[in-house]
Amino acid sequence: MDQKRELTSIDLAALVGELNEYGGAKVDKAYLYGDDFLRLKLRDFDRGRVELLIEVGDVKRAHVAVPEHVPDAPGRPPDFAKMLRNRLSGADFASVSQYEFDRILRFEFEREDGNTTIIAELFGEGNVAACDETRHVIDSLETIRLKSRTVAPGSRYQFPDSRVNPLEVDEEGFVALMRESDTDLVRTLATQLNLGGLYAEEVCTRAGVEKTVAIEDASDEQFDRLYDALSRLAAEVREKRFDPRVYRDEDELVDVTPIALEEHADLESSSYDRFNEALDDYFFELDTTEDEETDTSPEFDEEIERKKRIIDQQEGAIEGFERQAAEERERAELVYANYGTVDEVLTTIRNALEEGRSWDEIEATFERGKEEGIEAAERVSGFDPENGMVTVDLGEATASLEVRSGVEKNADRLYTEAKRIEEKKAGAEEAIAETREELETLRERKRRWEEGDAGDGETDADDEPAEIDWLSRASIPVRKSEEWYEDFRWFHTSDGFLVIGGRNADQNEALVKKYLDRGDRFFHTQAHGGPVTVLKATGPSEPAKEVEFPESSIHEAAQFAVSYSSVWKEGRFADDAYSVTPDQVSKTPESGEYIEKGGFVIRGDRTYHRDVEVGVAVGITCEPTTRVIGGPPSAIVPRAETAVEVEPGRYAQNDMAKMLYREFRERFADTSFVRKVASPDLIQEFLPAGGSRMVEE
């Protein structure tokens, strides 16, 4: 049985009440692990330290954790974490709410200088957005630009389209939704009623109804029993009659739920007083189990099954889009088929509004018309004054129409909506094609592994050590070492020499004053805004000496200086650089002149390196240490286990870092390893300022 890795809408409905008990706690600090795991450290007057965890990657969860279950603080905070610290430090945690019945949580924080809302999307690819008091996005982990919604810095946050809330649907609406389906009972409950697979099966089990019965074969009695079971489930959630459980199958974690499930009656379970505590224990054990996994063979079967589930979900989405588009097109055609009635309804309401009559008066007029048997009045089934809409029964379907628009415009709007849904279907078809390609790649990798092509890492005593296929290893040990130069930009040339560069004026100043020694070579660009770049002959604890640098190292140092200068930010692909010896570099200006912080004076002849091309590669090493490295491709690619080359392009630095992070996670079987050693903030340190794009191989 698959392990639960994502919270359901019912889970969130049960959770928000417990999380609201922490209202009034003050935010201390925010941390971001990788690009999908947010931790907010709070202080509560009664409870003391409160750790709120929100994860939106492969695992999607939100809950408060005991301090013992919280990971150690990561290194230098990325920009998103810095922004949260600036916005939330000292703020009061006001409340948390679930958006409609969706897998979206809104965390509200209040501070005298402005309130902040953190919106966690626990569905799809997952996302976290920080919004101001007007719900405009300050920043988000992922930028979303779709025709249906946008989540991007500076734009107003847009929620997904509303979904049916199965906990609030009445019996008439329930039966109508079920009857509209063309599949079986359990799939209809899961998709049309938005219960999801587990709770759809639970409703069928509680109702004593065979879940695979086709909708057209289902009886009224079966619908009655299903609705009764759903109502009882809804009452448990609404009235907070929870019985939190963690379920196991032969000691293996399976599920965590806020209520006891008949569907899991044959599984072992542990009972908890609070759902939050059950979530904390479950996900901590899930994390710990995955971290301790030492099997050297990749978990192909698990990943293959996950891809299959994604394909099933995508196929279901495509079917849904097809059905929705057909329904919208049918409504548009019915509007034309009922032209006279629709025109009479719209004209009557429009004239009444122009005469100054209220919506309540208009609704009362139509009620009288129904009593008198007026056909146009009988066709009206509802009013929406806030949006200026009226719902009209068109015989085979109903349609919500804009009162201020005529028949033709309303029909065109419905046709346009059908076209928009078909475009979403096209996007889903592209996504499913990509997933199928990934599935075939996984199957091929599994086949090669089983045939021994990947290598087992073992050697005979008389043989040379076999090369380890780190990309296929399911568990890679993390081996770190802290070096003095890591605060600067740095790389080792293909000949093994260290090159360091300044990130800002302070570091440029330090490089010239403290780290530029006899025997080194100083590089800079003709372009303004380039870093001080030093090709080191020796380390800081070694005696200075003269070294004959190979041409390859000199070229790589020059390329480094050009790539991290304003040349890249301007979108240019080459520029000149020069190099001098340390004794030609001075911080002493000529009489009457002034040198800004980070500036310097060059005296004597310079050696020019003309038309040096920009070029940066970012890679990950697995031995002797595990880390991100970056710099000129000729120096990085041979040293890294895997690397990606970038060039000037349109993606912002932080977006490019996230793209590379996802690319590396696709390449390594041990995705947790990538998260530990190559998070987006660590990758970003090796990217030039300005826009980039991946170089196509």
Side-chain angles (χ1 to χ4, degrees), residues 565-580:
S565 72
S566 59
V567 172
W568 189 288
K569 187 181 293 187
E570 293 168 1
R572 295 189 286 129
F573 285 78
D575 199 21
D576 297 340
Y578 65 84
S579 60
V580 296

Side-chain angles (χ1 to χ4, degrees), residues 180-358:
E180 288 176 3
S181 176
D182 57 1
T183 182
D184 56 27
L185 292 176
V186 71
R187 295 188 185 209
T188 303
L189 289 168
T191 57
Q192 297 289 87
L193 273 295
N194 298 313
L195 278 172
L198 174 63
Y199 286 99
E201 293 187 353
E202 176 69 10
V203 168
C204 290
T205 300
R206 291 189 179 193
V209 173
E210 174 55 49
K211 63 184 181 182
T212 58
V213 173
I215 288 294
E216 60 265 26
D217 298 330
S219 65
D220 290 340
E221 181 197 1
Q222 288 174 318
F223 284 141
D224 289 342
R225 287 158 61 185
L226 287 171
Y227 182 72
D228 179 64
L230 176 60
S231 298
R232 285 185 277 116
L233 176 66
E236 288 182 57
V237 176
R238 187 168 52 251
E239 297 167 14
K240 300 182 180 179
R241 290 188 276 116
F242 301 134
D243 182 10
R245 301 291 182 96
V246 170
Y247 289 97
R248 300 175 187 274
D249 186 5
E250 297 182 355
D251 293 331
E252 292 292 327
L253 279 177
V254 172
D255 205 350
V256 54
T257 62
I259 54 180
L261 300 183
E262 293 182 21
E263 189 67 17
H264 286 345
D266 59 338
L267 298 177
E268 303 170 19
S269 69
S270 302
S271 183
Y272 286 77
D273 293 332
R274 297 170 59 78
F275 185 40
N276 185 87
E277 293 172 0
L279 289 173
D280 184 26
D281 280 358
Y282 177 88
F283 284 108
F284 177 70
E285 186 173 340
L286 183 67
D287 287 345
T288 304
T289 302
E290 291 180 347
D291 287 344
E292 291 177 353
E293 187 67 52
T294 57
D295 184 5
T296 57
S297 63
E299 297 293 338
F300 289 116
D301 290 339
E302 180 181 336
E303 185 64 15
I304 286 172
E305 288 304 313
R306 190 177 75 86
K307 294 294 184 185
K308 287 180 179 178
R309 290 197 299 274
I310 292 173
I311 290 172
D312 287 342
Q313 293 169 359
Q314 290 170 329
E315 287 176 341
I318 290 171
E319 291 176 3
F321 291 145
E322 289 174 345
R323 183 177 61 255
Q324 293 171 31
E327 290 171 353
E328 293 300 323
R329 189 170 287 103
E330 181 186 14
R331 288 190 179 94
E333 292 168 357
L334 287 171
V335 167
Y336 277 120
N338 293 269
Y339 193 105
T341 301
V342 172
D343 185 52
E344 183 179 352
V345 169
L346 296 177
T347 302
T348 300
I349 299 174
R350 199 159 48 241
N351 290 340
L353 290 172
E354 290 172 357
E355 291 171 3
R357 298 174 65 186
S358 69

Side-chain angles (χ1 to χ4, degrees), residues 280-465:
D280 184 26
D281 280 358
Y282 177 88
F283 284 108
F284 177 70
E285 186 173 340
L286 183 67
D287 287 345
T288 304
T289 302
E290 291 180 347
D291 287 344
E292 291 177 353
E293 187 67 52
T294 57
D295 184 5
T296 57
S297 63
E299 297 293 338
F300 289 116
D301 290 339
E302 180 181 336
E303 185 64 15
I304 286 172
E305 288 304 313
R306 190 177 75 86
K307 294 294 184 185
K308 287 180 179 178
R309 290 197 299 274
I310 292 173
I311 290 172
D312 287 342
Q313 293 169 359
Q314 290 170 329
E315 287 176 341
I318 290 171
E319 291 176 3
F321 291 145
E322 289 174 345
R323 183 177 61 255
Q324 293 171 31
E327 290 171 353
E328 293 300 323
R329 189 170 287 103
E330 181 186 14
R331 288 190 179 94
E333 292 168 357
L334 287 171
V335 167
Y336 277 120
N338 293 269
Y339 193 105
T341 301
V342 172
D343 185 52
E344 183 179 352
V345 169
L346 296 177
T347 302
T348 300
I349 299 174
R350 199 159 48 241
N351 290 340
L353 290 172
E354 290 172 357
E355 291 171 3
R357 298 174 65 186
S358 69
W359 281 92
D360 288 339
E361 291 174 320
I362 294 171
E363 187 170 356
T365 299
F366 273 83
E367 288 299 323
R368 289 194 297 272
K370 290 178 183 179
E371 294 173 359
E372 296 170 5
I374 299 174
E375 182 185 358
E378 291 175 342
R379 292 291 192 93
V380 174
S381 58
F383 294 88
D384 181 5
E386 184 176 343
N387 295 304
M389 308 283 284
V390 60
T391 302
V392 180
D393 184 354
L394 302 174
E396 298 176 27
T398 61
S400 293
L401 306 176
E402 294 177 349
V403 172
R404 298 291 184 184
S405 301
V407 178
E408 293 85 355
K409 285 190 176 180
N410 272 293
D412 287 345
R413 179 175 58 82
L414 293 170
Y415 278 125
T416 301
E417 178 63 13
K419 185 177 179 181
R420 183 187 71 81
I421 294 170
E422 286 176 338
E423 289 173 352
K424 290 173 68 175
K425 172 192 166 187
E429 287 173 337
E430 290 179 9
I432 200 172
E434 292 179 4
T435 307
R436 284 176 174 145
E437 288 181 9
E438 293 168 358
L439 177 60
E440 289 307 310
T441 300
L442 274 171
R443 285 171 170 161
E444 176 62 19
R445 287 178 60 195
K446 178 184 178 183
R447 184 193 63 77
R448 294 205 328 265
W449 179 272
E450 290 174 344
E451 292 177 356
D453 292 349
D456 58 11
E458 297 181 358
T459 62
D460 294 329
D462 297 332
D463 294 338
E464 289 292 322

Side-chain angles (χ1 to χ4, degrees), residues 509-524:
E509 191 90 1
L511 285 175
V512 172
K513 287 184 175 181
K514 299 179 181 179
Y515 296 101
L516 185 60
D517 299 316
R518 181 173 60 86
D520 296 343
R521 189 73 67 88
F522 175 99
F523 288 78
H524 205 266

